[in-house]
Amino acid sequence: MRVEPPVPPEALAAIRAALAAAGAEAVDAPILQPLGLLLDLAGEAMRARLFVVQAEGGAEACLRPDFTAAVARRHIESGAVAGRYIYEGPAFRSEPEGDRPEEFLQLGVELFAPAGGSAAPADAEVAGLAWRAAMAGGREDLTLWLGDVGLFAAFIESLGLPEALAARLKRVAGRPRLLQAELARAGEAVASTADGGQLAAMLSGLSQPQAAAMLEEVWALAGVEPVGGRGAGEIAARLVRRAEAAAAPALTDAQAGAIRAFMAISEAPSAGLKQVRSLAGRGAGLDAALDDWDARLAALSDIPPGRMSFAPALGHAFDYYDGLTFEVRSAALGADRPVAAGGRYDGLLARLGGASGARAVGCVVRPWRAFAGGEA
């Protein structure tokens, strides 16, 4: 395993100090994390990036690729309504190609709050923390890139699409390949449900327990035993979604063009938000989302405007982000090696069994990338 070089103590202390301004409680997370949960959050394609381990007869686990889900689970299990946590430790991701480190140091902050109120102040606070921590490493070529998965959902609602199609587009917002497939269907006639696969069509319309029971019966008759830690319920749900997607109405060419233009926005924040307004239809949700952006940008006014870019389609490897997303990028390292990243993930708390409507936003910083004499 390729291990990242250590960051000089002075540089690491400066990065730590920037994050410590959050006034958060220091926490750790187990190095072994449940594989099934992480695949649910990031998709099966993420498996190739994980270091998977399994004791004889035990469930599959992996070395932690990230702290966010683990810290969120810890917060939920504590029963606390609100919480601020800071962490530091190694994370692990496989790099099949190239010579990038597979074990690397992460520092991060996660903020949790109860339902209610605007998310914009906490969003701006965390993005600002990530920016200042990245800058503390000494690089002078950094830019803060801002995006918003939630803005995409509000934009889709403003287009007046059929409910099933709008739901499908929102669900694949963080998965570029699936979104592009949906855009490629523009102008097509509605497909038969069977086009989603005979088995998927059989399961469509059943309750989840009924679909899982039917799938288990099919496996038994075929002598098939599933692998990878996925249960019948999870697999059945995915098959049903596939069948429903195939049978959903397609976008018109004009609607697809508006979505492509939205996804292509990459401008200074003020210019980018102006483009969103020009492309969108009408909707209270969109108005509220754009008002939140005005509040975020006002709170980030200490960052020079020329050092910020707005790309609403900005996403991350884990698809649990459902609001603000951001990255601090170095011109020397490029877009695929961010110095810091993070965003809002309210929906993840509900998926992990947290309170309805609870809020969560966080960031992670890679000190070796932030350090001016580090990754090149």
Side-chain angles (χ1 to χ4, degrees), residues 108-133:
V109 169
E110 312 291 339
L111 306 186
F112 302 95
S118 171
D123 287 351
E125 178 185 359
V126 170
L129 286 168
W131 170 257
R132 289 185 286 276

Side-chain angles (χ1 to χ4, degrees), residues 144 146 151 265-278 290 293-294 296-298 300 303-312:
L144 175 62
L146 300 163
L151 184 59
I265 293 172
S266 180
E267 302 280 355
S270 58
L273 292 169
K274 185 176 180 179
Q275 285 191 41
V276 172
R277 288 183 170 94
S278 69
L290 293 173
W293 269 106
D294 290 338
R296 290 186 190 102
L297 295 176
L300 292 170
I303 301 175
R307 305 291 290 274
M308 289 194 291
S309 290
F310 179 71

Side-chain angles (χ1 to χ4, degrees), residues 187-363:
E188 291 182 359
V190 177
S192 164
T193 303
D195 291 342
Q198 290 186 348
L199 179 57
M202 290 170 58
L203 299 174
S204 184
L206 299 178
S207 68
Q208 185 165 337
Q210 290 172 329
M214 178 176 283
L215 187 57
E216 288 174 337
E217 184 175 347
V218 171
W219 286 342
L221 290 172
V224 172
E225 186 170 338
V227 297
R230 298 300 183 91
E234 296 172 82
I235 296 173
R238 287 174 180 268
L239 287 172
V240 168
R241 286 200 296 269
R242 184 180 301 173
E244 291 174 345
L251 292 161
T252 67
D253 290 332
Q255 290 165 344
I259 294 171
R260 288 192 181 97
F262 174 91
M263 300 297 286
I265 293 172
S266 180
E267 302 280 355
S270 58
L273 292 169
K274 185 176 180 179
Q275 285 191 41
V276 172
R277 288 183 170 94
S278 69
L279 290 168
R282 289 187 173 183
L286 182 68
D287 292 340
L290 293 173
D291 287 345
D292 279 347
W293 269 106
D294 290 338
R296 290 186 190 102
L297 295 176
L300 292 170
S301 60
D302 60 321
I303 301 175
R307 305 291 290 274
M308 289 194 291
S309 290
F310 179 71
L314 180 71
H316 303 315
F318 293 100
D319 73 347
Y320 45 67
Y321 291 98
D322 50 20
L324 168 80
T325 56
F326 61 84
E327 292 180 354
V328 180
R329 296 179 182 174
S330 159
L333 299 181
D336 65 336
R337 289 186 288 168
V339 172
R344 176 157 294 279
Y345 53 94
D346 298 345
L348 175 61
L349 297 185
R351 292 167 70 179
L352 295 175
S356 175
R359 299 281 182 88
V361 62
C363 69

